[in-house]
Amino acid sequence: MTNRENFGSKLGAVLAAAGSAVGLGNIWRFPIETGRNGGAAFIIVYILCILLIGLPVMLSEFMIGRHTQANTARAYQKLAPNTQWKWVGRLGVFSAFFIMCYYCVVAGWTIEYAMLAITNQFAGKTANDFPKIFNEFAANPWMPIIWLIAFVVMTHFVIVKGVTKGIERWSKILMPLLFGLVVLLVVCAVTSPGAKEGIEFMLKPDFSKITGKTVLSAMGQAFYSLSLGMGCLCTYASYFDKKTSLGKTALQVASIDTMIALMAGFIIFPAASTAGYHLAPEDVGASLLFITLPNVFQQAFSSLPILGYIFSVMFYLLVILAALTSMISLHEVVTSYMSEEFKWTRKRAAITETIVCILLGCICSLSFGVLNDVRLFDMTIFDLFDWTSSNIFLPIGGMFISLFAGWYLDKQIFRDEITNYGLSSAPYFKALIFLLRYIVPLAIIAIIVNQLGIVSLL
Ligand code: TRP
């Protein structure tokens, strides 16, 4: 635990944390949730969730990480020695590992689709071809596995380089590229001939669609999108230097994440309306990304195929970048834990994590083909990893983080970290503690209950 590295600059710290937050969640979930839940009305609810639930938890994770300068499991042990709170940190490490195992499968698919786009394989295909292309590819035992290995190995090489030369350096390269691609894609999409309908659809608030369930799904989405609940941001914050303002950083990360999610909407809806395609609630997740959208891009620019080609290539590169920076943050949680707790070198820890993740990733991947019949609670292995991590582990982790920061931890530590030991002021401190003590835990309990389907609210 000697010579622990720090991010070399504030910008590096913000971009790394934003890289973790901006991921598949922004692209394959947020736009559709907006579409199905009343457009701008959902956006308003979502932003409130970010402010009232997301930011307090993010600040808590930042505070815990920066104060202890340790991996997320050790962090709780340091702040609450000889208590059971250490399990919150351990749960985080476990969740990161769990998420990684299925995230790398989808990340691998994005490489295949970037390749298909680059080699112009979407040209001339019709709506009926795309489900077939995807289903055959996902069920194939080889290609998805080759791509997932490629993806994890890519992540691995960033991680072994360390915090400054690996994570920070690559965040500073990949995130600006990602912004550039998003802006270009938005410009292309909103200037396409049929864009107006799609834009209006996103901007028109339909408050009649807002129900208890909408609010809960906005909360869940805010949580996942900000990478909260399992120590990702806590681990990154352990590399923040003492001068970094936690409040400002949290606000910047949340703004970047929300902006990219909104912009993803301004890519997807105008393209769909230009293509004359009505996005349905089922067009979410993998089916949106790999079946609906390649077709939408194909049809939207059918009068100018070269534009359709460039648009598809840029879009799948964007998805790769978004997935890569999130994968890096997940890998780092486990790597820092193993290297600090087992006193391993960073390299040894990273290799171990990479190999185990590849092995489990392969099993998740095969559950679309030969292992499709292996089910538990009627879910395939992949679905099980996905479902339990986002619906159980993350909310439970998030709830304990807020209880820890709101009830257990010495308020002075919290205040010192947030004000950088009195250098700045935090007039919102009382409100923050109130949210962490009451509102956040209650909200999360509601999310869990809703997702488990125990009571169907409203
Ligand atoms: N936030 C990322 C996304 O939107 C995914 C992610 C990365 C994540 N690290 C996380 C989610 C930690 C929850 C917790 O896709």
Side-chain angles (χ1 to χ4, degrees):
M1 216 149 310
T2 48
N3 58 30
R4 234 173 160 270
E5 277 185 275
N6 269 346
F7 288 126
S9 65
K10 290 200 180 85
L11 180 69
V14 172
L15 290 183
S20 170
V22 176
L24 294 170
N26 302 55
I27 302 170
W28 82 0
R29 263 212 103 78
F30 180 81
I32 294 302
E33 291 282 326
T34 309
R36 125 167 89 187
N37 292 313
F42 178 80
I43 296 175
I44 296 171
V45 174
Y46 179 78
I47 291 177
L48 284 176
C49 292
I50 294 270
L51 293 175
L52 297 178
I53 315 240
L55 279 177
V57 178
M58 192 190 285
L59 266 174
S60 311
E61 288 206 28
F62 277 179
M63 174 270 297
I64 294 166
R66 212 254 308 259
H67 187 76
T68 54
Q69 308 266 303
N71 69 76
T72 173
R74 172 64 55 98
Y76 288 86
Q77 228 156 328
K78 273 186 159 177
L79 285 171
N82 307 319
T83 64
Q84 298 304 321
W85 285 106
K86 56 176 181 274
W87 290 102
V88 180
R90 289 182 184 167
L91 175 72
V93 177
F94 182 74
S95 318
F97 179 70
F98 224 65
I99 296 178
M100 235 186 119
C101 294
Y102 79 85
Y103 210 84
C104 67
V105 177
V106 185
W109 294 347
T110 65
I111 307 187
E112 166 80 7
Y113 271 68
M115 290 296 177
L116 291 178
I118 290 170
T119 53
N120 205 15
Q121 304 284 322
F122 299 143
K125 299 278 192 301
T126 61
N128 293 331
D129 298 323
F130 288 99
K132 217 172 119 233
I133 296 177
F134 175 70
N135 292 330
E136 274 174 15
F137 162 69
N140 175 315
W142 296 110
M143 280 323 279
I145 287 188
I146 292 173
W147 291 135
L148 94 80
I149 294 177
F151 211 99
V152 182
V153 169
M154 230 163 30
T155 312
H156 175 85
F157 280 116
V158 175
I159 292 293
V160 282
K161 287 275 179 206
V163 173
T164 326
K165 292 212 185 86
I167 301 173
E168 179 172 7
R169 175 151 162 256
W170 281 100
S171 300
K172 280 182 166 168
I173 298 172
L174 299 175
M175 290 310 283
L177 261 175
L178 184 148
F179 297 138
L181 283 174
V182 171
V183 171
L184 282 175
L185 284 161
V186 170
V187 171
C188 258
V190 299
T191 53
S192 62
K196 196 160 158 268
E197 197 192 324
I199 300 172
E200 278 175 3
F201 182 67
M202 268 208 54
L203 291 181
K204 219 177 4 195
D206 178 356
F207 287 101
S208 69
K209 292 246 174 77
I210 300 291
T211 61
K213 244 190 150 63
T214 322
V215 178
L216 292 179
S217 73
M219 287 198 287
Q221 172 66 18
F223 226 74
Y224 187 83
S225 193
L226 292 178
S227 296
L228 298 174
M230 40 76 58
C232 244
L233 297 181
C234 175
T235 304
Y236 272 8
S238 72
Y239 308 126
F240 288 180
D241 69 21
K242 286 288 168 204
K243 287 194 288 277
T244 303
S245 155
L246 299 186
K248 247 193 229 155
T249 308
L251 211 55
Q252 283 161 345
V253 172
S255 313
I256 293 174
D257 186 63
T258 308
M259 224 163 59
I260 301 278
L262 287 172
M263 287 168 91
F266 283 109
I267 294 170
I268 291 170
F269 284 107
S273 65
T274 303
Y277 185 91
H278 271 285
L279 289 167
E282 304 80 68
D283 292 317
V284 66
S287 125
L288 172 76
L289 219 47
F290 303 111
I291 296 175
T292 311
L293 289 182
N295 179 45
V296 160
F297 299 157
Q298 194 53 37
Q299 313 310 327
F301 302 102
S302 56
S303 55
L304 200 57
I306 178 75
L307 197 58
Y309 173 80
I310 297 174
F311 197 89
S312 306
V313 172
M314 287 200 301
F315 183 80
Y316 287 101
L317 287 180
L318 163 74
V319 187
I320 291 183
L321 294 182
L324 180 57
T325 47
S326 296
M327 274 285 282
I328 293 172
S329 71
L330 291 163
H331 202 304
E332 178 61 20
V333 173
V334 187
T335 301
S336 69
Y337 170 76
M338 289 200 289
S339 75
E340 290 176 9
E341 296 308 303
F342 307 158
K343 308 266 184 302
W344 287 355
T345 60
R346 190 175 176 82
K347 196 164 167 195
R348 180 167 171 206
I351 289 179
T352 311
E353 158 70 349
T354 297
I355 292 175
V356 182
C357 169
I358 287 178
L359 290 177
L360 285 172
C362 287
I363 296 177
C364 283
S365 179
L366 290 174
S367 75
F368 287 91
V370 290
L371 296 181
N372 196 259
D373 293 331
V374 183
R375 305 209 171 200
L376 196 65
F377 308 119
D378 210 27
M379 283 186 267
T380 64
I381 302 171
F382 177 95
D383 291 338
L384 201 69
F385 270 68
D386 177 5
W387 190 86
T388 37
S389 49
S390 30
N391 294 341
I392 313 273
F393 296 153
L394 290 182
I396 290 183
M399 185 173 72
F400 281 114
I401 291 170
S402 68
L403 293 175
F404 182 76
W407 291 98
Y408 179 82
L409 195 72
D410 182 359
K411 297 290 143 310
Q412 196 55 39
I413 296 182
F414 204 162
R415 192 185 276 277
D416 285 346
E417 281 298 327
I418 282 188
T419 59
N420 283 348
Y421 291 84
L423 281 183
S424 56
S425 63
Y428 54 82
F429 191 70
K430 275 216 172 85
L432 176 68
I433 296 293
F434 176 78
L435 288 170
L436 285 169
R437 284 194 161 180
Y438 305 102
I439 308 297
V440 177
L442 285 176
I444 295 179
I445 289 174
I447 299 181
I448 300 176
V449 167
N450 175 54
Q451 274 160 345
L452 290 178
I454 299 172
V455 196
S456 104
L457 280 144
L458 300 189

